[in-house]
Amino acid sequence: MAVAAEPAPARSLFARLAQPRPALALLLLMWVPLVAYVMFNRQIGDLREVVLLPAIPAALLLYAVAVWSWRESTIAVIGVTLVFFWLLLALSAPYLPLLDPNKPVAPFVTPFTEKNGVFYWLGTDTRGRDMLSRTIWGCQRVIVWGITATVVAYFVGAMLGLIAGYLGGWWDQVVSFLANVLLSFPVMILFILILNYLGPSGFNIVIAVTFSSAPAIMRIVRGLALDVKTRDYIFAAQTRGESALRIMVIELLPNVRGPLIVDACLRLGYTTVAITTLTFLGLGLQPPDPDWGLMIKEASSTALLWKFSYMLLIPALSVSSLILGFNLMADGLREMSLRD
Amino acid sequence: MSMASDAAAAAPAPKPGEGGSEVPVLECRNLCISYFTRAGEIPAVVDFNLKLMPGESHGIVGESGCGKSTVALAIMQYMGKNGRIVGGEILFNGRDMREMNEEELRQIRGSQIAMVYQEPMASLNPAMRVGDQLAEVPIYHDGATKEEALARARAMLESVRLPEPDRILRSYPHQISGGQQQRVVIAMALLSSPKLLLLDEPTTALDVTVEAGIVDLIREIADEYGTSMIYISHNLGLILETCDRITVMYSGEAVEVGTVNDVFDAMRHPYTQGLFASIPLPHADKNARPLVAITGQLPLPHERPPGCNFGPRCDHFLAGLCDSGEIPMLPITGDDRHYSRCVRIEEIDWQAAAGEGIVKSAAPPGDVVLKVDEMTKHYEIEEGAIFFAGEKKTVKANERLSFEAREAETVAIVGESGCGKSTFAKVLMGLEEATSGEVLLGNVELGKMPVEKRSPETIAKLQMIFQNPFDTLNPSHTVGGQIARVIKKFGVEKDEEKINQRVLELLDIVKLPRDFAKRRPRQLSGGQKQRVGIARAFAGNPSVVIADEPVSALDVSVQAAVTELLMDIQRENRTTLLFISHDLSVVRYLADRIVVMYLGQIMEQGTTEEIFSPPYHPYTEALLSAVPIADTKVKKRHIVLSGEIPSASNPPEGCPFCTRCPYVIEGTCETVPPPIRAFGPGHLIACHLSEETLKAMQPVIQIGEGPIPAEADRDAEKGEQVSPVAAAESERRSDV
Ligand SMILES: Nc1ncnc2c1ncn2[C@@H]1O[C@H](COP(=O)(O)OP(=O)(O)O)[C@@H](O)[C@H]1O
Ligand code: SF4
Ligand code: SF4
Ligand SMILES: [Mg+2]
């Protein structure tokens, strides 16, 4: 792959950044700090004050690159805009002039009203905490846990799919059998069983999502691998004496990425729904830190009054817009892949 | 036969071209067809003219993408969503088809025009018995009763020479072989006694010997029913065998039209000339008639040059003349409706050969590099029930193969589908283990050594070139990266810098620009991909290269260039080339020695000279006779095989060819494996026939003096038939 490392003569900055390696570097530059901030807040100590700073320009650049490379599909651009809107809010939450999301200030303030010299754009909740601040901070957790869970599920599912599809035989039988067993459970029951057993926490959500999503991912990858493994270039790699692992990851996987990326976007949507639902049921992320599911749960009783329905509507609309973003991205990518 | 011709109620075919006052069955006038895609309008066919008289067969020949199928689909008025006729008209029996309404069109499509596609299964309903599908045609079109319809279907199956018509009527399409399916499709097309039969590459998916049977059938239909035919093919030899007139297409345009004899013997377009110079003929080898490749490649439909489409590849190109304005079809004086789309017809010296082929001296073969000794590969398969242990069956994919290949030698392995070529390649490459016997590369035994156990040096010594250019390169990696991987993996070079240097050198060797290293396979044409495949195979300095039909999927005009390239590199490196192919013309052209395989066994082996001249093995004889030859001067002995290829899981105990052999010795061939006898130092034939019978065989391919008119040629062939033994045999068989 020596030659691939040399950047191709590209026309614009965007074209150059859209190459796999620079794009991946930008992605990591954005993602690692966010994960460190949300998952390992205590461990990183004082670093937490600055850790997200480099991630913000990285995200902006990445957004520009994404819009540039998907400019052919309006749908994909809308989707990516929605997703990056929330992503940027998540990254910049610590640096925005927001009230403390956990501090009760004045209960039951409706949106767009001023109280005690403070203007509340989105009002406050039953306990008097600022809704704007809670919505923005809440998106941080949904995004980080949702994407992490999907990525982990994808890693496990894809590896198992490659093993079942490429190695076949005995491997295939075992993996497919386990997948079928897991798939026979209704997803929610599986979630509730796992989280009841392991206890509610972010990491356990990742495990639960992996158990419920990986079998379906495994099936998709297995089907794609079965097709690709009959190609001559795989045969060529085999006769070159390449290891099975290298063939699976380097020769085979890149050629099935198209349908997988589309499916991953859709699955991000499902996972977001699942995490929000789990938190709503009290099985996911724990209070007091803000989270959209938690906000919906806390607002569920008071929101019966029309006047206070904003407490429910704001997190609900937020989560819907994020899911819509993922789905539109999936649609746009699929549309583009069908074109050529 | 007689029943069928009654059914068709056809008058004897009028001689084509006669009677100028007759209404043509089909006429295309200035036909222009475009596809509308996201990238804009793609002019697939431009200014296409064709006049088809009753009883005439017209061939359309051209490389893939030149618009042949588009013309056929336009005639059927099946243009799909995005295709449209943008100019000109199509007259069927004098009426413009574009003015007909849906109902009329449907009527015509069903009963007047019938089409046969490349894939027989595209026209057959997999869930319906063959009999019911065939019976539908008379029921639907003529209002026949079910019994009547079935009787006519049965008669038609007989007339397309299908054995056991009753069994086939009861079968589902997947239960019969590909050749039989295509015959059923032709029968279905004929049942409505159409005036016009469109055949779009009807034999491309079939084996040569099966193809020969279908071609024979098509020719007979034309003679007997007087059906007009349009026969589309990329194979000039097939057109010669089936058609009266021919249109040569290039990049969406007809470039030359005329009678088969005019176009084959007195072509007047540089592309036609180039095409003929670039196809190997089975009566000439690399020394007698070196191939001359057409330089460059086909332009994409939206990147056609101004003026003559062939201009950039033409040796006679004259700036200012050839690249300005539309080039019209110009008549050739003295010939019968012979036209050419070239403005320099008068100036070009048509007698001079198209370019000079470079005659290269053959490299003398060295020591034995690869020795295959009694190599056998059997697969165990379990048949039947899913839950209970099914019956164990043995598929004999390779049975006691023995041959040798020397340094710098080209050994061709010839055989049709299912003869075990791929299995042999897999054993050699270490993806399967031989059941018994030995494969020696130098002094390393490979038969029982899977690729994981082979040392990098052994693996590097044995490399492969694949058939399908679209599959041979990994679409996700750059061309350079894929070649570099081989160099690194085999430890030819270690240093990153040196590897890159070597990649560029290899690209030079296969005559590709150096900046292709950074490209991805999808940016390359089929021929270019195949060149990269060759570069990759030679990157590890192999001593043996297996090439599995490396050019058969390429366009005819680039095949020659890739073949030449492969041979040059081989000669340079003194590599042993195992060339797997079904095309005897190509094999004759480049092989030093030939191994003929059938159903997993070697039928005959010897030098190219020995294989192409008597004594023949009966299968070699049939194979030679089946090759379509694009030369009017060549006479072939006509041998059409009947019978089916047995399945590899249940081969005959004796000679595997006994189900189709015209010489079969009843009682012996079926049960006793044939002896292998030597007819020269390395010339081995496995057959029961006596030495005298084998030695008495006549050559299959003969070059006559001067051009022989196609009609006369055919009649002569029919009278001539096979050798006396075979003639008697086939008579006996047809009586059964
Ligand atoms: N449905 C379609 N949409 C767009 N382009 C097409 C379509 N079908 C064929 N073409 C283009 O039209 C040209 C002629 O194609 P075709 O008639 O299939 O050629 P041939 O049969 O000679 O191989 C090619 O360039 C092909 O890519
Ligand atoms: S018109 Fe010119 S470029 Fe075209 S075929 Fe004739 S000589 Fe060649
Ligand atoms: S052994 Fe018999 S069946 Fe086989 S090729 Fe010879 S004559 Fe034909
Ligand atoms: Mg076609």
Side-chain angles (χ1 to χ4, degrees), chain B residues 138-150:
Chain B
I139 293 174
Y140 182 72
H141 284 294
D142 310 333
T145 64
K146 178 93 192 199
E147 286 72 48
E148 236 174 52
L150 274 174

Side-chain angles (χ1 to χ4, degrees), chain B residues 603 617-619 654-665 668-670 672-675 685-689 694:
Chain B
M603 300 277 92
H617 184 280
Y619 175 62
C655 171
F657 189 50
C658 71
T659 56
R660 299 167 80 201
C661 179
Y663 300 90
V664 64
I665 305 165
T668 310
C669 292
E670 290 94 336
V672 186
I685 295 180
C687 181
H688 281 299
L689 291 180
L694 288 172

Side-chain angles (χ1 to χ4, degrees), chain B residues 380-398:
Chain B
E380 296 281 329
I381 52 163
E382 227 160 85
E383 280 209 344
I386 302 166
F387 292 107
F388 309 101
E391 201 184 325
K392 279 254 167 68
K393 275 205 166 179
T394 309
V395 176
K396 298 180 175 168
N398 284 163

Side-chain angles (χ1 to χ4, degrees), chain B residues 64-65 67-70 118 200-201 232:
Chain B
S64 66
K68 306 180 298 282
S69 302
T70 305
Q118 175 175 340
D200 189 357
E201 311 245 9
I232 295 176

